[in-house]
């Protein structure tokens, strides 16, 4: 079986050699039947030509005579949960959906990222002192990346 650490090493080598392209590695998965999935991302999206180039680079370092494998190189899915901090940074200003540790789902605008913490601004009803009815206000919610169940780009069809 091919080790994911080996594939990760080759992917990171390609990314290092192509720093000018500003890609970053999101994930490397290898299934027991040697299906390899490599996900990369970029602030402006991923180009198919670069996926092909990375795929050829990884294939040039693996030996099909030793191990038969299937290799898939692509971008991190738009509706998939964020896996690395750079995805949070790239989505500042965009609408995201967060499922917190308590199972509460919130939708709001990703306001900032500070290390492993991030802040989402949510428009919600808040009881204001002196008012009978709750008022809609923007409220900041801060989370730790490792304590939420997921954060992902919110796709709206409005």
């Amino acid at each position: 079986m091919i080790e994911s650490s080996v594939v990760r090493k080759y992917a990171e080598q390609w990314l290092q050699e192509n720093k000018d392209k500003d890609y970053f590695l999101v994930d490397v998965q290898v299934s027991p039947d040697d299906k390899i999935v490599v996900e990369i991302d970029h602030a402006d999206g991923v180009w198919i030509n670069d996926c092909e180039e990375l795929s050829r680079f990884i294939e040039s370092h693996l030996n099909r005579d030793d191990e038969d494998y299937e290799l898939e190189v692509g971008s991190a899915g738009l509706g998939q949960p964020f896996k690395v901090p750079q995805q949070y940074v790239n989505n500042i200003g965009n609408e995201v959906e967060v499922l917190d540790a308590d199972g509460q789902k919130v939708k709001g605008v990703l306001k900032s990222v500070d290390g492993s913490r991030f802040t989402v601004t949510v428009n919600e009803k808040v009881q204001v002192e002196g008012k009978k009815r709750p008022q809609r206000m923007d409220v900041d919610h801060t989370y730790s990346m490792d304590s939420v169940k997921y954060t992902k780009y919110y796709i709206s069809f409005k």
Side-chain angles (χ1 to χ4, degrees), residues 16 37 41-42 56 58 88 107 114 116 131 139 149:
Q16 185 66 29
V37 178
D41 207 350
H42 186 283
R56 278 191 235 104
I58 293 170
Y88 286 85
K107 293 179 194 125
D114 183 18
S116 66
K131 302 277 186 176
V139 178
K149 293 184 179 178

Side-chain angles (χ1 to χ4, degrees), residues 112-132:
S112 65
V113 178
D114 183 18
S116 66
R117 301 187 64 73
F118 65 98
T119 302
V120 176
T121 301
V122 180
N123 188 272
E124 57 188 36
K125 288 183 179 180
V126 177
Q127 186 63 50
V128 178
E129 191 176 324
K131 302 277 186 176
K132 287 186 177 181

Side-chain angles (χ1 to χ4, degrees), residues 63-104:
N63 187 347
R64 284 203 185 269
D65 294 334
D66 292 341
E67 199 94 40
D68 189 30
Y69 61 88
E70 177 184 345
L71 176 61
E72 178 183 313
V73 176
S75 65
L78 186 61
Q80 297 299 311
F82 298 163
K83 296 178 182 174
V84 295
Q86 187 63 43
Q87 289 177 292
Y88 286 85
V89 172
N90 287 354
N91 281 283
I92 290 174
N94 291 332
E95 197 166 8
V96 295
E97 179 179 283
V98 178
L99 182 62
D100 69 16
D102 298 328
Q104 184 174 4

Side-chain angles (χ1 to χ4, degrees), residues 37-49:
V37 178
V38 178
E39 292 180 347
I40 59 174
D41 207 350
H42 186 283
D44 298 324
V46 176
W47 295 97
I48 188 75
N49 296 350

Side-chain angles (χ1 to χ4, degrees), residues 9-40:
K9 179 183 81 169
Y10 295 135
E12 288 173 347
Q13 182 181 342
W14 183 85
L15 293 168
Q16 185 66 29
E17 291 173 8
N18 293 277
K19 279 194 274 194
D20 59 317
K21 295 185 180 190
D22 289 331
Y23 284 107
F24 59 93
L25 186 62
V26 173
D27 198 16
V28 173
Q29 295 179 5
V30 180
S31 68
D33 61 343
D34 284 334
K35 178 178 180 185
I36 304 166
V37 178
V38 178
E39 292 180 347
I40 59 174

